[in-house]
Amino acid sequence: MLNQTIDFNSAEGIKLMRNLYAFSWGVFRRRFQTDVNSKGKSFKDYVHDAIEKHLRQEDRFDPDKSPIEFHLKFNVILGAISNDFKHQVKTRFVESREKMDSGSSFTHGRLEELEPTLDSVTPDLIDYDRKLIFDTIEKRISGDDQVERIYLAVCHGNFEFSDRSEICEEFDLTLDQFNNAKRRLLTVVRHVIRELKLER
């Protein structure tokens, strides 16, 4: 029986639990930056769900392929957190579009990662025209799926452009697709800045 691979009440099992909690906490905080996400889950919930799946033999664990700790961390816990994070980011993006379309006041995402491209814009203009900048960028990238994924990651998620491999994993992109989409996104941003006459 695969669920007998480890006894979670043993010293080994308790040590594994601590390691799973530490791993889940790190990934969870990196993604959601909060104690409880939009689904009402904490980092501990993902560990409990993973163990429950394992005990029910629903996690497809194969001891010949990977150790139990590696499997639970990277195949079960990371997968579950990543799926919920992608759903939350996409939901937030859809909500921002709906509010934009309805004319509601909404402050879109983070500008930090776009700031190198916004160097020519004064801080006052960035603050004053934040909504206009985001609205225009979002309209320009609409329909370019790969650019939208990068935009979601760095402006609506908790990623930075330097998190290239993580973004590719989370948003199903190859490294080449990421590089090309990033270039297209920053080109759009530069065009928007010129179009809106926000340069110094």
Side-chain angles (χ1 to χ4, degrees), residues 72-113:
L72 290 175
K73 282 180 177 178
F74 295 98
N75 293 339
V76 186
I77 295 173
L78 179 61
I81 291 176
S82 296
N83 287 336
D84 285 350
F85 175 71
K86 281 187 279 190
H87 178 267
Q88 177 172 303
V89 169
K90 289 176 182 176
T91 299
R92 189 185 308 163
F93 185 57
V94 169
E95 288 173 350
S96 74
R97 280 191 175 280
E98 289 175 348
K99 291 186 178 182
M100 178 181 69
D101 293 340
S102 67
S104 301
S105 176
F106 188 83
T107 301
H108 299 275
R110 306 181 307 148
L111 275 173
E112 290 88 344
E113 278 299 289

Side-chain angles (χ1 to χ4, degrees), residues 20-195:
L20 294 179
Y21 277 139
F23 174 81
S24 183
W25 182 86
V27 175
F28 185 92
R29 293 290 297 182
R30 175 73 175 84
R31 296 290 187 271
F32 298 105
Q33 297 186 344
T34 185
D35 292 330
V36 178
N37 64 18
S38 62
K39 289 200 168 184
K41 290 184 177 181
S42 72
F43 74 93
K44 289 185 178 180
D45 291 319
Y46 289 94
V47 175
H48 299 161
D49 289 348
I51 292 172
E52 184 176 344
K53 268 191 168 185
H54 177 68
L55 294 177
R56 290 182 175 178
Q57 301 182 39
E58 297 173 352
D59 61 335
R60 299 181 181 178
F61 173 56
D62 184 346
D64 293 330
K65 291 185 178 180
S66 62
I68 182 64
E69 182 172 336
F70 182 94
H71 168 74
L72 290 175
K73 282 180 177 178
F74 295 98
N75 293 339
V76 186
I77 295 173
L78 179 61
I81 291 176
S82 296
N83 287 336
D84 285 350
F85 175 71
K86 281 187 279 190
H87 178 267
Q88 177 172 303
V89 169
K90 289 176 182 176
T91 299
R92 189 185 308 163
F93 185 57
V94 169
E95 288 173 350
S96 74
R97 280 191 175 280
E98 289 175 348
K99 291 186 178 182
M100 178 181 69
D101 293 340
S102 67
S104 301
S105 176
F106 188 83
T107 301
H108 299 275
R110 306 181 307 148
L111 275 173
E112 290 88 344
E113 278 299 289
L114 300 181
E115 283 181 358
T117 311
L118 300 176
D119 280 343
S120 62
V121 183
T122 65
D124 289 343
L125 283 175
I126 290 179
D127 291 337
Y128 181 78
D129 291 300
R130 177 180 290 266
K131 182 180 185 302
L132 179 59
I133 292 171
F134 273 112
D135 286 354
T136 310
I137 291 172
E138 289 175 7
K139 288 177 183 176
R140 295 293 183 274
I141 66 173
S142 178
D144 190 330
D145 179 63
Q146 293 172 8
V147 171
E148 285 189 336
R149 294 183 203 183
I150 301 294
Y151 176 83
L152 283 172
V154 300
C155 290
H156 288 265
N158 300 319
F159 293 98
E160 300 176 357
F161 281 129
S162 58
D163 300 321
R164 184 174 65 167
S165 59
E166 292 184 31
I167 292 174
C168 288
E169 179 182 348
E170 295 288 348
F171 291 87
D172 301 318
L173 295 167
T174 66
L175 292 179
D176 284 342
Q177 287 173 333
F178 172 90
N179 292 334
N180 291 331
K182 175 185 173 182
R183 280 195 291 270
R184 294 200 300 278
L185 173 59
L186 295 181
T187 296
V188 167
V189 174
R190 285 191 290 270
H191 288 167
V192 167
I193 296 308
R194 285 199 294 270
E195 177 184 330

